Amino acid sequence: MNSKKKTVFSGIQPSGVITLGNYLGAIKNWVKMQDDYNCIFFLANMHAITVRQDPKNLEENTLKAYALLLACGINSEKSLFFIQSLAGETHSQLAWILNCYTQFGELSRMTQFKDKSQQHPENINAGLFTYPCLMAADILLYQPDLIPTGKDQKQHVELTRNIAERFNGIYGETFKIPEPFILSEGASIRSLVDPSKKMSKSDKNENACITILDPKDTIIKKFKRAVTDSEAKVYLSDDKPGINNLMTIYSCFTGMGFAQIEKEFSDKGYGAFKLAVGETVADALQPIQDKYHKLLSDETFLKFLYTESSQKAKDISQFTLDEVKRKIGLCM
Ligand code: ATP
Ligand code: LTN
């Protein structure tokens, strides 16, 4: 690690196949940051169990997500890329400690908790409630400067800052205070079925999201069916959330500005626009899919990579955990 560079830290839950929202809101930016920052990325599989998971699926999805992120361009020679449960001792110990420095009221205000409680009324477990404390532990263990995520995670990063400042205020400088880092383009890709909701990999309606592994014809079909409006004119407007979303996606992949997109489609209807978006996205994802299938065929190599990097993560995070335990008087 280069000590002059700032440290970036972020993660994703291996709770299903990674979506276009995850890719544009987070992963694509992580890939770009690898040359300019010391980067640490991880798969938050301990977070994923806040929602009931089939054990076999969770294990398989974790391995697949590892391969998929590598295929998207996370480079294990440039960045540390690990699996949370393999460094679980440090993460869970700090999470417990931070639970004791976080208020019930603060956790009650988290929108992700409110959303997920509504989606899973039969399983509003304590882990779902204290999830942000585990996330704060993930982050603070590695003393990072920047946390690049989609917009939906900003509230959790802000809570992390508050917890860290509170702890530092009581025990003296212990944690670096991290900054949320949210790039505006792609920060919140919307569901194709209901643009008032974010695109989410755990959405039950498969037409709501494009996954990175969808074949070309599926991608085109999903975009064709995307909910828009009845005006049939491509331009950016607050009351056209479906079209705004498609324009954002098209812009992220082509690099074109919104005015340019409006011009290109000024005399074309939604059919032509949706087809162009579908083809552009499918063509951009093809090389990622090819690389993914190649990586997944060598499980031994993948296991070697994540075991080695998770051990490194454990060693790095142990430093912070030891300092915290010493400061609060826990025998070691
Ligand atoms: P789940 O449905 O299991 O909650 P998710 O699809 O919301 O999953 P996460 O694992 O929570 O994905 O998020 C991984 C990263 O992707 C985070 O940085 C998050 O901010 C970002 N992200 C998730 N959904 C979107 C979206 N629709 N648009 C932009 N970024 C997103
Ligand atoms: N809560 C995040 C995943 C996550 C994370 C983190 C992101 C867990 N720990 C630490 C950044 C930093 C999510 O649901 N996307």
Side-chain angles (χ1 to χ4, degrees):
M1 294 248 167
N2 180 331
S3 58
K4 286 203 194 102
K5 287 183 179 175
K6 286 191 170 178
T7 298
V8 155
F9 182 90
S10 199
I12 181 166
Q13 299 183 57
S15 47
V17 183
I18 285 163
T19 70
L20 203 59
N22 303 139
Y23 182 67
L24 296 179
I27 300 162
K28 195 161 171 262
N29 300 325
W30 301 352
V31 171
K32 273 198 258 165
M33 296 177 97
Q34 294 181 110
D35 288 326
D36 301 323
Y37 299 92
N38 290 320
C39 291
I40 308 177
F41 302 118
F42 80 113
L43 295 179
N45 59 344
M46 288 158 64
H47 281 85
I49 62 165
T50 51
V51 170
R52 204 61 78 225
Q53 304 281 342
D54 173 75
K56 196 163 166 281
N57 279 351
L58 178 60
E59 202 176 345
E60 266 177 33
N61 281 340
T62 308
L63 185 74
K64 287 180 177 169
Y66 199 86
L68 194 47
L69 261 73
L70 293 177
C72 287
I74 300 299
N75 181 334
S76 59
E77 282 169 19
K78 289 186 193 163
S79 304
L80 184 62
F81 177 33
F82 70 99
I83 296 179
Q84 188 180 30
S85 62
L86 292 176
E89 290 86 342
T90 50
H91 288 242
S92 50
Q93 282 190 64
L94 186 62
W96 171 253
I97 294 168
L98 298 183
N99 267 320
C100 304
Y101 294 84
T102 308
Q103 299 302 306
F104 179 86
E106 290 178 304
L107 293 174
S108 312
R109 285 193 287 277
M110 296 294 115
T111 40
Q112 183 169 302
F113 170 68
K114 292 187 217 164
D115 290 349
K116 294 223 165 167
S117 309
Q118 262 178 10
Q119 286 162 17
H120 305 277
E122 74 300 339
N123 184 22
I124 307 178
N125 60 72
L128 194 62
F129 188 65
T130 61
Y131 173 118
C133 296
L134 178 57
M135 177 156 164
D138 300 332
I139 295 173
L140 298 175
L141 279 169
Y142 298 87
Q143 310 280 2
D145 299 279
L146 299 173
I147 316 298
T149 66
K151 226 196 240 159
D152 61 313
Q153 294 302 314
K154 188 162 185 245
Q155 200 186 25
H156 290 158
V157 179
E158 275 161 0
L159 177 62
T160 300
R161 289 167 59 85
N162 292 341
I163 299 171
E165 276 165 359
R166 182 172 306 144
F167 193 97
N168 288 353
I170 305 172
Y171 300 102
E173 212 50 38
T174 310
F175 298 123
K176 193 177 259 182
I177 309 297
E179 300 272 347
F181 185 81
I182 293 151
L183 290 181
S184 53
E185 58 176 73
S188 188
I189 301 297
R190 319 308 297 168
S191 152
L192 297 186
V193 172
D194 175 1
S196 71
K197 292 198 312 198
K198 73 162 195 162
M199 185 180 282
S200 166
K201 62 176 126 57
S202 49
D203 199 312
K204 298 233 160 49
N205 186 338
E206 335 190 295
N207 290 322
C209 69
I210 304 286
T211 82
I212 302 292
L213 294 177
D214 278 344
K216 185 166 186 169
D217 55 341
T218 308
I219 295 178
I220 290 176
K221 201 162 65 198
K222 286 182 181 174
F223 276 116
K224 259 192 196 156
R225 288 192 189 145
V227 170
T228 47
D229 54 78
S230 55
E231 197 190 351
K233 192 159 168 27
V234 178
Y235 66 94
L236 208 64
S237 160
D238 282 348
D239 51 9
K240 290 165 81 73
I243 285 296
N244 293 351
N245 192 34
L246 298 187
M247 287 177 75
T248 302
I249 294 171
Y250 194 61
S251 162
C252 285
F253 281 104
T254 58
M256 285 164 77
F258 293 125
Q260 222 181 333
I261 299 175
E262 284 171 10
K263 207 164 147 210
E264 184 184 335
F265 293 95
S266 61
D267 55 352
K268 300 184 185 108
Y270 284 174
F273 178 51
K274 286 175 168 180
L275 183 65
V277 179
E279 285 190 328
T280 303
V281 171
D283 292 344
L285 296 183
Q286 190 60 55
I288 296 179
Q289 297 184 357
D290 295 343
K291 198 161 171 211
Y292 165 77
H293 290 297
K294 211 161 150 199
L295 281 162
L296 204 61
S297 65
D298 192 351
E299 234 179 82
T300 317
F301 173 66
L302 287 176
K303 281 195 175 146
F304 167 78
L305 272 189
Y306 71 63
T307 309
E308 201 190 34
S309 54
S310 303
Q311 184 57 48
K312 269 192 207 149
K314 211 164 153 182
D315 294 343
I316 297 173
S317 54
Q318 192 70 49
F319 275 106
T320 307
L321 180 64
D322 285 351
E323 191 186 345
V324 168
K325 287 169 86 172
R326 222 175 292 123
K327 285 191 166 158
I328 58 181
L330 289 178
C331 297
M332 298 167 41

